[in-house]
Amino acid sequence: MSFPLLTATAALPAIGAVATAAVPAARRTAAKWTALVFSLATLVLAGVALARFEPGGPRYQLTESHAWIKDFGVRYELGVDGIGVALMALTALLLPFIILAGWHDADPLENKSRRWRPTQGFFALMLMTEAMVILSFEATDVFLFYVLFEAMLIPMYFLIGGFGDRAASSVSAADGGDENAAAQRSYAAVKFLLYNLAGGLVMLAAVIGLYVVAGTFSLSEIAEARASGSLSMATSTERWLFLGFFFAFAVKAPLWPLHTWLPNAMGEATSPVAVLITAVVDKVGTFAMLRFCLQLFPEASKWATPVIVVLALISIVYGALLAVGQRDIKRLIAYASISHFGFIVLGIFAMTSQGQSGATLYMVNHGISTAALMLVAGFLITRRGSRLIADYGGVQKVAPILAGTFLIGGLATLSLPGLAPFVSEFLVLVGAFSAYPAAGIIATTGIVLAALYVLVLYQRTMTGPVKAEVRGMPDLKVRELAVVLPLIAMLLFLGVYPKPLTEIVNPAVQHTMSDVQKKDPQPEVEAAK
């Protein structure tokens, strides 16, 4: 029997979570190092999986299959295609930086013993979330995926509500201070949980319906039966099942109008947890659209495409417009992410090879760029103690390295040529233009608005006269540079040489195009007169 590499990659952070939680309460530093070492070991295993993956090989590789709940045909089935292995690697890559960035986020507060927060629990919850997300990218059994899809809500709920951002709050002391800040964190955590649970319950009904129709939860068996014609679904049945799955994924993504939990969650969470939400957990939603919606329900996916494209366009423009008007740094980044997820969904449902390749690259590149921008913003907010843009000014004169890295993260967010997100956004727009020219034109307004909210944010926080509260602000320290510089290096590398990533994801995209029986539109060429 071959080594169960996929299981090991997901199990290692889960073991690390248990080991971190078991560290004695007084040994907080040991708990941090335990979490960091396990996250780095997970990264090594993910790198091995990436190296062993053959882009030209079978669709699902490194497969594992074991009986789980025999009476209901549920199996523990794992396998990764190019999209899954890329997102698994992204998750493993980001977690060490997230842990390092949140090194002091759960330290006890001085003179506030009643608000002591266990450091061990903070990092253990991060590792447990990583384990569930990695396993969800690997799962090829629909029921197993559903269990993970819902279970990852539990650690995220406690990370948002129990370990919220203590460095800054939009609530003033005059309005209640700590009590109102705690209430806002609880509200954000409960809203996150309720929205995603609602989506999960709808998906559960669809999962049960799929089993009734197909008689199995195995993704590969259902896909083979659909391709061979031995499994056929009534049109109405397929559409209802598709809507059940898509609704849950649109909440997770999030897609307008199911997006309203994200700004609250990202605003009230610590900056590393905010990165965990939007750069890691939310990618499960867009990934699942490709793996489950298009593969299991190809005809329903094509039927729903016009409406989904409209929703994606609304997300792009609406998210960008609200980002322009934000006064809170973290909420601005949250609304920018809603706009970016609109681009990803547009690329997926343009149903062209360029669009879907661009959407997959966008998931990876958005994860890196958002991590860079949000983590630097977190370092900035920790120093000043405020999330409000108006409380800053002239930072580049006292902390030039912080300002410079903040600018690069912002330029990546607006998809500047030469940085990784440009490649993915360009491919999404090419794919959208070729299939839906009007949608491509509307989507380009998101680029203009992105330039506006990023540059205005930089101008108001980093330039101008140095405010008195900013004058003594220290520049980035060694630990913070160790977080930010590798992310910037990856943005530059993938911006000028995306080939290693495209070679992995393009074969998986071609499989997905084959599932929906779509071909790229041919350009119209007028005959020479």
Side-chain angles (χ1 to χ4, degrees):
M1 182 181 295
S2 60
F3 179 72
L5 184 57
L6 296 186
T7 294
T9 306
L12 194 57
I15 296 170
V18 175
T20 302
V23 174
R27 302 185 63 187
R28 295 187 298 275
T29 302
K32 298 173 185 179
W33 279 105
T34 301
L36 182 59
V37 167
F38 271 94
S39 69
L40 290 171
T42 303
L43 176 58
V44 171
L45 283 184
V48 173
L50 192 62
R52 290 182 56 184
F53 184 83
E54 299 177 6
R59 180 171 189 172
Y60 293 109
Q61 301 180 33
L62 308 175
T63 56
E64 302 173 32
S65 181
H66 307 281
W68 183 19
I69 308 175
K70 293 183 179 180
D71 292 342
F72 296 98
V74 179
R75 298 186 63 82
Y76 176 80
E77 284 192 348
L78 305 181
V80 287
D81 60 2
I83 300 170
V85 77
L87 292 175
M88 180 185 72
L90 170 70
T91 302
L93 176 68
L94 290 181
L95 256 293
F97 299 115
I98 291 173
I99 290 171
L100 203 55
W103 201 252
H104 298 298
D105 285 355
D107 288 348
L109 296 174
E110 295 181 3
N111 302 322
K112 291 186 179 181
S113 58
R114 65 185 177 86
R115 288 190 58 197
W116 184 86
R117 305 183 303 177
T119 303
Q120 290 83 345
F122 181 70
F123 293 104
L125 290 169
M126 282 188 173
L127 288 173
M128 189 57 69
T129 302
E130 178 187 19
M132 294 178 182
V133 171
I134 287 177
L135 202 55
S136 69
F137 291 138
E138 300 170 348
T140 56
D141 182 276
V142 178
F143 188 83
L144 174 61
F145 174 83
Y146 171 76
V147 171
L148 297 165
F149 188 80
E150 291 293 270
M152 68 180 69
L153 301 179
I154 300 171
M156 290 307 305
Y157 169 79
F158 288 107
L159 283 170
I160 297 169
F163 298 89
D165 192 356
R166 67 183 181 182
S169 175
S170 58
V171 181
S172 66
D175 291 334
D178 290 347
E179 289 74 15
N180 277 349
Q184 284 193 344
R185 289 195 296 270
S186 297
Y187 172 78
V190 171
K191 189 173 184 179
F192 161 81
L193 187 64
L194 291 179
Y195 266 67
N196 283 275
L197 279 178
L201 288 174
V202 174
M203 181 182 171
L204 177 60
V207 168
I208 295 172
L210 178 65
Y211 179 75
V212 171
V213 173
T216 179
F217 290 111
S218 173
L219 180 64
S220 57
E221 290 180 10
I222 297 173
E224 289 174 5
R226 296 297 305 272
S228 64
S230 59
L231 172 62
S232 60
M233 296 184 192
T235 300
S236 59
T237 300
E238 181 176 348
R239 290 178 179 179
W240 279 112
L241 293 177
F242 167 84
L243 290 175
F245 277 80
F246 180 79
F247 179 81
F249 303 151
V251 173
K252 182 82 78 178
L255 184 69
W256 184 92
L258 305 171
H259 67 283
T260 59
W261 64 267
L262 183 64
N264 295 99
M266 289 184 65
E268 298 305 323
T270 64
S271 293
V273 173
V275 172
L276 190 62
I277 294 170
T278 190
V280 176
V281 173
D282 287 354
K283 297 301 187 298
V284 176
T286 47
F287 162 79
M289 292 179 189
L290 282 164
R291 170 163 286 189
F292 295 101
C293 287
L294 271 60
Q295 188 172 347
L296 295 176
F297 315 111
E299 295 303 320
S301 298
K302 290 186 283 188
W303 162 75
T305 288
V307 174
I308 296 173
V309 167
V310 171
L311 295 178
L313 292 174
I314 295 174
S315 291
I316 292 170
V317 178
Y318 175 82
L321 283 173
L322 288 186
V324 171
Q326 288 302 305
R327 297 181 299 169
D328 183 309
I329 296 174
K330 292 171 71 176
R331 290 179 70 90
L332 184 152
I333 298 172
Y335 280 110
S337 291
I338 292 170
S339 181
H340 295 149
F341 276 105
F343 276 106
I344 295 171
V345 175
L346 176 63
I348 292 171
F349 283 90
M351 293 196 183
T352 61
S353 59
Q354 300 97 331
Q356 292 189 355
S357 293
T360 304
L361 292 179
Y362 216 129
M363 292 185 228
V364 175
N365 295 333
H366 171 264
I368 300 172
S369 63
T370 299
L373 181 60
M374 178 60 87
L375 293 179
V376 176
F379 298 149
L380 176 70
I381 292 168
T382 300
R383 285 160 165 75
R384 175 65 178 84
S386 173
R387 302 198 312 249
L388 299 178
I389 297 172
D391 289 341
Y392 296 86
V395 173
Q396 66 181 12
K397 297 178 182 177
V398 297
I401 299 176
L402 189 154
T405 53
F406 188 80
L407 177 61
I408 295 173
L411 294 176
T413 298
L414 63 83
S415 300
L416 184 76
L419 297 174
F422 170 76
V423 179
S424 45
E425 193 161 280
F426 177 77
L427 286 173
V428 167
L429 289 174
V430 169
F433 269 116
S434 62
Y436 304 98
I441 294 171
I442 296 171
T444 55
T445 61
I447 301 175
V448 178
L449 293 171
L452 180 61
Y453 62 69
V454 167
L455 295 178
V456 169
L457 172 64
Y458 184 84
Q459 179 189 36
R460 292 178 178 175
T461 56
M462 302 296 167
T463 66
V466 179
K467 291 198 172 185
E469 297 84 357
V470 173
R471 189 163 288 116
M473 181 178 291
D475 214 333
L476 293 182
K477 300 176 182 178
V478 174
R479 173 181 60 86
E480 295 164 332
L481 288 172
V483 171
V484 176
L485 293 182
L487 295 173
I488 291 176
M490 285 184 282
L491 289 173
L492 291 169
F493 175 77
L494 292 175
V496 298
Y497 191 64
K499 185 179 178 181
L501 192 54
T502 57
E503 285 183 340
I504 292 173
V505 304
N506 282 345
V509 167
Q510 293 304 319
H511 283 298
T512 305
M513 292 286 291
S514 177
D515 289 335
V516 294
Q517 299 179 346
K518 295 282 286 187
K519 295 182 179 180
D520 291 331
Q522 296 299 315
E524 297 180 4
V525 180
E526 294 184 4
K529 295 182 179 179

